[in-house]
Structure formats: structure tokens, C-alpha cells
Amino acid sequence: MTTVVHVDTPGGQYPIHIGAGRLDLLDASIAADATSIVIVTNPAVGALYAHRARTALARTGRRVITVELPDGEIHKDWQTLNLIFDALLENRCDRRCVLVALGGGVIGDMTGFAAAVYMRGVRFVQVPTTLLAQVDSSVGGKTAVNHPLGKNMIGAFYQPLAVEIDTEALATLPAREISAGLAEVIKYGLILDPEFWSWCEINAARLRALDREALSYAIRRSCELKAQVVGKDERESGLRAILNLGHTFGHAIESGLGYGQWLHGEAVGCGLVQAAELSARVTGLPAADVARVRKLVADIGCPVAAPDLGAERWLALMQVDKKTEDGQIKFVMLPRIGQAVTRAAPEAAVRDTLACTTG
Ligand code: NAD
Ligand code: GLY
């Protein structure tokens, strides 16, 4: 059975199809006037799923080309992005080509960015194969590559034609990647939906065990909540920033340790604990709720203690954040579970938070 969630933004309206076997139906999401189809993937995902994707896409009668990028966050950069442009130009792909991002968030973000700028914009479809990409990165049109000085610093807002979520693809995902994806799932409950948060607390073990019914519900609810937010604020002029709960801390972990040391979702999970501790100091989140956040982050299998990078380095790393304005770091914080605000925090509270969450 396929569930559909609709995304409606000024930059594009499109469906998110969620169901088992969506990979075999990809031809339906390709525009009728497409001249060629370019699957962008990596060797790991390609070996598992490119054949099925190619078979489905071949039914369009269009030329199907496959480009493989090296796997990993460490390759989410300009140099790797250029491999997509090389393939598009070598194959003489024109403005009516359609790119298909087959993989996790790294492939999705890079393919989306390539689509945004190749010939000033061509169409693309997101086919997310990690839990994190299914619940977050494939939805909402944020595309980017990393810069050595900051994560996702070079990119564009660019919406896909469709998001095709094959829930069966999660069966081959390593357990550590499932935990990383669950960090973004529980984030939605924390910022927007206290009932969903409580449901996640009760169902953490089922989710980690890939219980079909629980995972399908978590993916759908996450997509619904994300679609609501990006529908109101596509370009993050306000509300959308709440989706970055835990990310100011998490991005500092990723760039501070070197991309790829911690998974993005692991860094976000730990960042949720740090954001909750900061919220206790700034927006009055009760201590019992901070403890609930710490417990659920641990229950989903993410780290709860952040690396000790030294307070000065932490502060410098957190400055390189897209929410920083006029040198002032802004944090997403929780007055209570299910509600989020974005604002500056006193430096003493940030230092205190770092002292009690690192080590
Ligand atoms: P990833 O893309 O690196 O994928 C994780 C690993 O899983 C990779 O080694 C990949 O090859 C492998 N893999 C993918 N699907 C698989 C499958 N079905 N079976 C087996 N292995 C599989 O990591 P990710 O966690 O998916 O994405 C993280 C990235 O997403 C980060 O770069 C982050 O910045 C970005 N992100 C973007 C947004 C956004 O709104 N655009 C939101 C959140 C995260
Ligand atoms: N993952 C944050 C956002 O899409 O805005």
C-alpha cells in the first residue's frame, strides 16, 4: 500500500510516495517530456538497488545513464559534485534531462544541488534509501555540499519533482544508520508534536528492530510534519529554523571531528541532548524533560556525550552556522516538549551546557 503526503511550497508542489516496492515504480514519477534520465548513486547503494531503478526507468523508453559518486560524507564536496557535471556534459544531457538521486542524504543533497545549477536548473526526483533521507533530507528542497570550514555552506533551495520512498530499502541499512535516522524522527516530536514524541518513547525498540508498521508510521508522520513546516517557510526566513534543533551542536561535532567520524544523525542525536540542556538554562525546559530527551536519544542508539573539543573551539565551530547573524549564534531551544523557539543564548549558558554535555 502506498501513502501519499503532499508538499506545497512556492518553489514547487510534489508528492511524497511512501510504500514497499516504490523502487519498481519509478517510471511513473518521470516527466513525459524527459529526454534522458540520469541516476546518481554510489557503489554501495548502486550494487543493491540501481538495477531495479534502471529496469523501472527503462519503461519510459528514455536513455538511462548511471553516475556513481564515491560513498561518504567526506566526499560531499565540490570535487565530487563536478563528477555529476562531467557525466551530464559527456553524455550531452540537455535541459529536459531528469536526475534521479538514489541513495542517502549525501547523494540527495549533491544531486539536488547539481540539478539546481546544471544549465541553470533541470528536474530531479529524490529516491531516498536511508531512514534519515526518507524522513528529512529528501523533503523540502535543501541541497548543498560541504566546505572545509562549514557544513552544507554551499547550496540552493531547489524542490524535486517527487519523493519516492521505498520502505523495503531500509532492510539493508546498517543498525547504526537506523539509529542516526531515528534522531531526526524524534526531533519532529520534540519541536512540533508531543503526542508523536510520547509514541516514539513507547516504540523506540520496535523502530530499532525495523518493525514495518511502526517504521511506516514514523516515516509518514515525519514527512507530514516536515511538509507542514516547509509549506509555511520554504526558505527558512523564520519557522523552518526549528527543524535545526540540535544541529548547531551537531554540525560542530561533524566539522570539529572531521566529516564522517560521527554520522550526521548521531551528531544530531547528541545535539538534541545538548539543546535540551541549553533549553533548561534559557527557556525553562523542566529537568525531567531533559532527562526524557537523554533517555530517548540513548534508547534509539545514539551517543549522548559530545566530544571534548575545548570550549573555545566549540564556540568557534558553532559560529559557522547559517543561523548566525552579525556574529551572534542562534540556537533552537525548547520551552517544553512539542514547542520550539529560535534565539540567541547567553554565552554563560552555552559554556555551562558544553561543560555538562562533553567529555
Ligand atoms: P549517507 O547518505 O552518507 O548514507 C549513509 C550510508 O548508508 C552510506 O554509506 C550509504 O552508501 C549507505 N546506504 C544508503 N542507503 C542504503 C541502503 N538502503 N542499504 C545499505 N546501505 C545504504 O547519510 P545519510 O544519513 O542518509 O544523510 C546524511 C546527509 O544528509 C548529511 O550530509 C546531511 O547534511 C544531509 N541532510 C540534509 C538535509 C536536508 O534537508 N537537505 C536534512 C538532513 C540531513
Ligand atoms: N533539515 C532541516 C531542514 O530541512 O530545514
Side-chain angles (χ1 to χ4, degrees), residues 42 44-45 48-49 71-73 76 103-107 109 129-130 132-133 136-139 142-143 146 151-152 169-170 172-174 177 180 184 226 240 247 251 254 264-265:
N42 68 35
V45 180
L48 291 165
Y49 300 114
D71 190 3
E73 184 74 36
K76 189 181 173 186
V106 169
I107 289 290
D109 279 14
T129 59
T130 62
L132 184 138
D136 191 354
S137 63
S138 64
V139 176
K142 275 190 181 176
T143 74
N146 297 330
K151 185 152 166 68
N152 292 334
L170 300 181
T172 52
L173 202 60
E177 301 284 351
E184 302 278 13
K226 181 148 189 187
R240 186 168 178 167
H247 286 57
H251 285 169
E254 287 188 86
H264 173 72

Side-chain angles (χ1 to χ4, degrees), residues 170-186:
L170 300 181
T172 52
L173 202 60
R176 193 177 159 199
E177 301 284 351
I178 295 290
S179 293
L182 288 174
E184 302 278 13
V185 170
I186 67 172

Side-chain angles (χ1 to χ4, degrees), residues 48-118:
L48 291 165
Y49 300 114
H51 177 71
R52 274 173 65 193
R54 260 195 309 268
T55 304
L57 292 167
R59 284 197 295 270
T60 60
R62 302 292 180 269
R63 180 173 60 136
V64 181
I65 297 152
T66 304
V67 185
E68 280 195 350
L69 307 182
D71 190 3
E73 184 74 36
I74 200 164
H75 297 293
K76 189 181 173 186
D77 57 16
W78 265 116
Q79 207 183 339
T80 308
L81 186 72
N82 239 341
L83 298 176
I84 307 179
F85 301 133
D86 291 347
L88 293 171
L89 289 164
E90 279 160 13
N91 286 286
R92 301 190 195 292
C93 293
D94 64 21
R95 278 197 161 140
R96 287 198 279 132
C97 69
V98 176
L99 274 51
V100 174
L102 177 67
V106 169
I107 289 290
D109 279 14
M110 284 201 291
T111 307
F113 188 35
V117 295
Y118 182 67

